[in-house]
């Protein structure tokens, strides 16, 4: 212990990311005194919903020792196929059933990843790179490539459902959509799975060493298959929320978001080699990515620089812990 703080508290990724968030908030507030307001907070929370759900999914894969870059293609494919099916066969379908259909389609696409990875033992990066291209190509070739703005009525209705809304004394409008509840539910469900079930312990064990996990009796095949189906289901949920809130089914949306999602998870401390990752760190990483994107706009930096900033954050976020580990190993030798 170091005073009130446990040993290593100030060198943990979660602490460093929290300090960077504090720094960014101070800079943005100095640039724009209205930055620190309930309107900004509600905007950040709204922007964190889809990114947060996808980040939780990506974190689960990283903990297990794999990597998935196909989740955005799964999300868009599930969302677009659900929308076109609903418009063609049941336009008045209630939104809970629309969401359930998208989640099931996402799980089905995730199962394809699971079959290649769990049964055929192919490398996760190679498989998900391949399915990323296959899913997008199939969607644009056989399902459709047109943007659909005339969504089913219940999808439009869902986007208007709010947990809270109001107007500040200065006349600024703020609102927190019902979709935020979905993010909270995903966080609680994943937290329970990881920390209070044998399944969660098995996922961590898998990330530590596949061979060791197999020797202690863990069914590696079933665990890996579950992970990619679960990730597909979360991607399907994120995709339909994205389509509903943007009020458009765009088959080209979410392209390139893989970098932001993986950056958020890595910045939160999840190890690329597997075996470690926390929901707290991942959510702080999501908050940092959203804050950086918003702060750059507030201080007038072109949005094209966002990818540069996120890339630098990845280098710093992974480089500092690696340098600290190397220094600690040198001191111990």
């Amino acid at each position: 212990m170091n005073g009130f703080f446990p040993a290593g508290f100030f060198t943990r990724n979660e602490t460093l990311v929290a300090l960077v968030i504090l720094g960014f908030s101070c800079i943005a507030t100095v640039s724009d005194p209205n930055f620190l307001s309930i309107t900004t907070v509600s905007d950040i929370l709204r922007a964190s919903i889809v990114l947060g759900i996808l980040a939780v999914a990506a974190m689960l894969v990283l903990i297990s020792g794999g990597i998935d870059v196909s989740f955005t293609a799964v999300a868009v494919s599930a969302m677009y196929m659900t929308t076109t099916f609903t418009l063609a066969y049941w336009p008045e379908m209630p939104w809970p059933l629309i969401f359930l259909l998208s989640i099931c389609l996402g799980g089905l696409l995730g199962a394809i990843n699971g079959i290649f990875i769990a049964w055929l033992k192919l490398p996760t990066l190679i498989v998900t790179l391949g399915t990323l291209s296959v899913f997008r190509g199939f969607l644009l070739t056989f399902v459709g490539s047109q943007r659909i703005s005339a969504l089913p009525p219940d999808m439009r209705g869902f986007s208007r459902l709010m947990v809270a809304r109001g107007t500040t004394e200065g006349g600024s409008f703020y609102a927190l959509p019902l979709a935020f509840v979905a993010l909270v539910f995903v966080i609680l469900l994943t937290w329970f799975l990881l920390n209070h079930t044998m399944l969660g312990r098995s996922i961590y064990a898998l990330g530590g060493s596949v061979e060791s996990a197999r020797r202690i009796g863990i069914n590696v095949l079933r665990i890996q298959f579950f992970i990619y189906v679960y990730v597909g289901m979360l991607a399907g949920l994120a995709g339909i929320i994205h389509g509903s809130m943007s009020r458009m089914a765009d088959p080209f949306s979410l392209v390139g978001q893989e970098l932001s999602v993986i950056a958020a998870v890595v910045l939160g401390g999840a190890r690329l080699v597997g075996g470690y990752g926390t929901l707290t760190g991942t959510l702080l990483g999501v908050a940092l990515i959203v804050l950086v994107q918003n702060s750059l706009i507030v201080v007038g930096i072109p949005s094209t620089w966002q990818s540069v900033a996120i890339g630098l954050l990845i280098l710093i976020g992974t480089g500092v812990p690696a340098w600290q580990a190397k220094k600690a190993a040198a001191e111990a030798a």
Side-chain angles (χ1 to χ4, degrees), residues 3-174:
F4 292 106
F5 302 102
F9 177 79
F10 290 103
T11 57
R12 292 175 58 181
N13 270 60
E14 290 91 334
T15 308
L16 296 174
V17 172
L19 291 174
V20 173
I21 289 173
L22 200 60
F24 259 102
S25 299
C26 292
I27 293 171
T29 304
V30 169
S31 302
D32 179 7
N34 295 321
F35 179 80
L36 208 58
S37 64
I38 189 169
T39 303
T40 306
V41 172
S42 67
D43 287 344
I44 290 173
L45 291 178
R46 189 186 305 116
S48 301
I49 295 171
V50 173
L51 189 66
I53 295 173
L54 293 175
V56 170
M59 180 203 71
L60 207 65
V61 177
L62 282 181
I63 289 175
S64 73
I67 187 165
D68 187 346
V69 294
S70 69
F71 49 81
T72 54
V74 173
V76 171
S77 299
M79 175 270 291
Y80 197 81
M81 286 191 283
T82 299
T83 305
T84 52
F85 175 85
T86 305
L87 287 171
Y89 297 101
W90 191 6
E92 302 301 323
M93 187 187 293
W95 68 262
L97 290 182
I98 296 175
F99 276 46
L100 183 62
L101 180 59
S102 182
I103 291 169
C104 291
L105 280 172
L108 191 63
L109 296 176
I112 296 173
N113 281 334
I115 289 170
F116 280 102
I117 292 166
W119 267 276
L120 300 181
K121 314 295 183 190
L122 297 179
T124 56
L125 180 60
I126 302 300
V127 169
T128 54
L129 270 175
T131 51
L132 166 73
S133 181
V134 170
F135 293 158
R136 281 206 175 122
F138 181 87
L139 176 68
L140 297 175
T141 305
F142 297 106
V143 183
S145 57
Q146 301 297 317
R147 292 178 173 87
I148 302 172
S149 56
L151 296 179
D154 254 43
M155 282 181 69
R156 295 199 303 272
F158 177 81
S159 68
R160 292 191 287 270
L161 297 176
M162 299 291 162
V163 174
R165 74 169 79 196
T167 306
T168 63
E169 292 181 358
S172 299
F173 178 75
Y174 67 88

